[in-house]
Amino acid sequence: MALLMNPLSNLETYDISEDLGFILEDPLEELPDPYQPWIRLAKNLPSLIDDQQLRDEVKKLPELSICHLQGHKELRLAHLALGCITMGYVWEGGDKDVTQVLPRIIAVPFCEISKKLGLPPIMVYADCVLANWKKKDPSGPMTYDNMETLFAFPGGDCSKGFFLVSLLVERAAASAVKVIPDIFDAIINKNCNVLKEGLRTVSSSLREAEQTFHLVHEYVDPIDFFKILRIYLSGWKGNSLLPEGLKYEGVWNNPRKFSGGSAAQSSIIQCFDALLGIQHGSVHENSSAQFLQEMRDYMPPSHKAFLEAVASGPSVREFILSSKDADLKKIYDECVRALVDLRNYHLKVVAKYIIIPSSQLKNNANRKEVKEDEEKGTGGTDLMSFLKSVRDTTKKACL
């Protein structure tokens, strides 16, 4: 009989940290000298955009080859900086003056770096959340008060709050990612006690993630988010302001469509769906499943590979369904309920930060024209119906 191997025995293979999960550990803050103009521009985004000077400054940038960028962390910082500059360049004029062409001075290096990293040439969640942080006191704890983002957008501290709270939610869920290899070992070895322990860690970690999510109300103002920050997170797929997409000058002849940054690009929740065997329908028939699958292409390839390894590994759900241990089923259901509650909380946050501010603008003269995009997510989805759909299919997974 063939010996079963644990496909996830080494998390480092997937660029996953035991302490931080999918978060990039100790991101770099600076690039080698030739690339400092990118960093300077990205650091000054809020004032340049407020003064309507970013597009002019981009045109003054030197044309740079990416050949002197070395190692994963330099590439990640370059992708983050160029991603922020790209969002600022496209949306500097708000919805009244949207540029349809990204100049080659940014487009060419951005696309080359993206190709090396296996990411699309747009600011993704792995940029603005997972790689956009530093500690104020390097020896201090990873708490909101001891952290700062590397780059921000207009709207005061709104982007700092949004990105760092998202990061802390990731951090809270990291302890559950760490036990996934143990859970697989337990199934391979039919060890119910170790499996129960692992699943308890998953449910308590998801509960902690939900509690951490509450910080959003303290640090992110709904009106600032809706009226200012949101546009800088918006992409050019499913967006009526850029129906054809964005032209990447010097790279492609035709415009390309890419989704904006979205929580669906976080590997965390998709990882627990895969672990618990929660199906959101067929990718061919169901738009929620299709969108979640598409969002995997916006994750670092090693993280996407991890999700695929979890999904194709020993089935936790089938093992528990075939078990006569009622306690095991109960603990599994606790994990599912914790995931449902996290998704429910996300719905409440979306209502407060997008749906309610949108309805408050009903007297706006252009209401009919802009409503189509107002209640969409930054990833381009019909937000509430997407979130309710994945919440409901998660509920159905309870045993």
Side-chain angles (χ1 to χ4, degrees):
M1 187 177 144
L3 190 68
L4 283 170
M5 294 294 291
N6 186 341
L8 305 178
S9 48
N10 184 4
L11 289 177
E12 278 180 27
T13 320
Y14 298 98
D15 295 324
I16 293 169
S17 153
E18 287 228 336
D19 291 332
L20 303 183
F22 297 102
I23 296 168
L24 183 66
E25 284 194 296
D26 301 317
L28 299 177
E29 293 177 50
E30 305 293 342
L31 288 173
D33 276 352
Y35 306 102
Q36 280 305 107
W38 295 348
I39 299 295
R40 275 197 298 276
L41 216 54
K43 280 183 176 170
N44 291 317
L45 273 186
S47 58
L48 288 169
I49 292 171
D50 286 343
D51 297 339
Q52 298 286 287
Q53 288 178 347
L54 178 63
R55 288 177 187 166
D56 293 336
E57 289 302 313
V58 164
K59 285 162 188 166
K60 295 177 194 169
L61 282 172
E63 280 207 41
L64 297 172
S65 154
I66 69 161
C67 65
H68 301 297
L69 288 171
Q70 293 182 333
H72 184 71
K73 286 188 177 181
E74 282 190 6
L75 288 168
R76 288 287 293 273
L77 177 56
H79 198 273
L80 165 64
L82 292 179
C84 290
I85 292 166
T86 295
M87 302 319 255
Y89 188 91
V90 171
W91 302 116
E92 179 180 77
D95 55 8
K96 303 288 181 285
D97 173 25
V98 184
T99 187
Q100 297 183 22
V101 181
L102 188 65
R104 61 175 298 123
I105 223 152
I106 288 286
V108 171
F110 193 23
C111 288
E112 287 174 352
I113 290 163
S114 299
K115 193 174 178 184
K116 278 195 166 222
L117 285 171
L119 291 171
I122 187 169
M123 185 183 75
V124 294
Y125 182 93
D127 296 320
C128 61
V129 174
L130 302 181
N132 186 25
W133 67 278
K134 64 176 180 180
K135 287 183 185 177
K136 292 176 186 171
D137 170 8
S139 61
M142 214 169 151
T143 56
Y144 190 91
D145 292 336
N146 190 40
M147 290 170 76
E148 197 55 79
T149 55
L150 304 181
F151 309 123
F153 289 99
D157 280 340
C158 185
S159 59
K160 175 189 171 181
F162 187 70
F163 297 148
L164 288 185
V165 170
S166 302
L167 184 87
L168 291 170
V169 170
E170 290 272 334
R171 173 83 204 278
S175 54
V177 177
K178 184 180 169 180
V179 300
I180 293 176
D182 301 336
I183 288 172
F184 274 16
D185 274 337
I187 291 172
I188 290 166
N189 298 310
K190 298 184 167 49
N191 187 329
C192 286
N193 288 333
V194 172
L195 179 55
K196 286 176 189 175
E197 206 47 53
L199 291 174
R200 282 194 189 99
T201 301
V202 170
S203 67
S204 68
S205 183
L206 285 168
R207 295 285 175 206
E208 194 189 331
E210 187 198 328
Q211 279 305 308
T212 306
F213 203 173
H214 285 60
L215 291 172
V216 74
H217 306 292
E218 205 174 319
Y219 297 112
V220 185
D221 178 79
I223 299 303
D224 287 346
F225 176 81
F226 186 78
K227 285 190 165 180
I228 304 170
L229 178 60
R230 199 160 161 260
I231 194 161
Y232 299 106
L233 305 176
S234 302
W236 23 97
K237 181 176 182 179
N239 191 327
S240 63
L241 296 170
L242 280 166
E244 301 302 314
L246 182 71
K247 173 93 185 283
Y248 289 77
E249 192 179 64
V251 184
W252 294 299
N253 292 328
N254 298 316
R256 294 294 172 110
K257 296 180 181 182
F258 295 107
S259 295
S262 157
Q265 293 170 8
S266 160
S267 304
I268 282 285
I269 302 299
Q270 290 216 38
C271 162
F272 296 124
D273 279 342
L275 177 71
L276 299 170
I278 295 167
Q279 304 284 341
H280 295 291
S282 155
V283 287
H284 304 296
E285 66 190 33
N286 177 301
S287 59
S288 298
Q290 199 176 0
F291 180 69
L292 288 168
Q293 191 64 37
E294 277 173 24
M295 288 301 99
R296 291 191 181 188
D297 293 333
Y298 290 73
M299 299 173 187
S302 53
H303 295 174
K304 180 184 175 182
F306 179 76
L307 297 186
E308 286 163 0
V310 172
S312 58
S315 171
V316 173
R317 188 175 171 85
E318 281 174 23
F319 180 84
I320 294 171
L321 278 168
S322 65
S323 163
K324 292 183 170 62
D325 189 329
D327 200 29
L328 191 53
K329 290 184 171 71
K330 192 176 151 196
I331 294 166
Y332 172 88
D333 279 357
E334 280 167 14
C335 289
V336 175
R337 275 194 290 273
L339 200 50
V340 169
D341 290 347
L342 184 57
R343 286 190 151 126
N344 263 331
Y345 198 75
H346 191 191
L347 275 161
K348 287 178 188 168
V349 170
V350 166
K352 177 177 174 176
Y353 284 83
I354 294 177
I355 307 304
I356 293 168
S358 167
S359 64
Q360 285 169 349
L361 291 176
K362 276 189 174 161
N363 299 328
N364 186 314
N366 298 324
R367 177 71 195 160
K368 282 178 185 159
E369 292 156 44
V370 296
K371 185 178 189 307
E372 178 193 342
D373 284 327
E374 269 178 11
E375 294 185 4
K376 274 190 173 183
T378 47
T381 53
D382 180 349
L383 201 47
M384 290 304 267
S385 62
F386 165 71
L387 292 173
K388 283 176 181 170
S389 155
V390 293
R391 187 267 321 268
D392 292 345
T393 47
T394 307
K395 259 187 195 170
K396 286 175 189 164
C398 273
L399 301 178

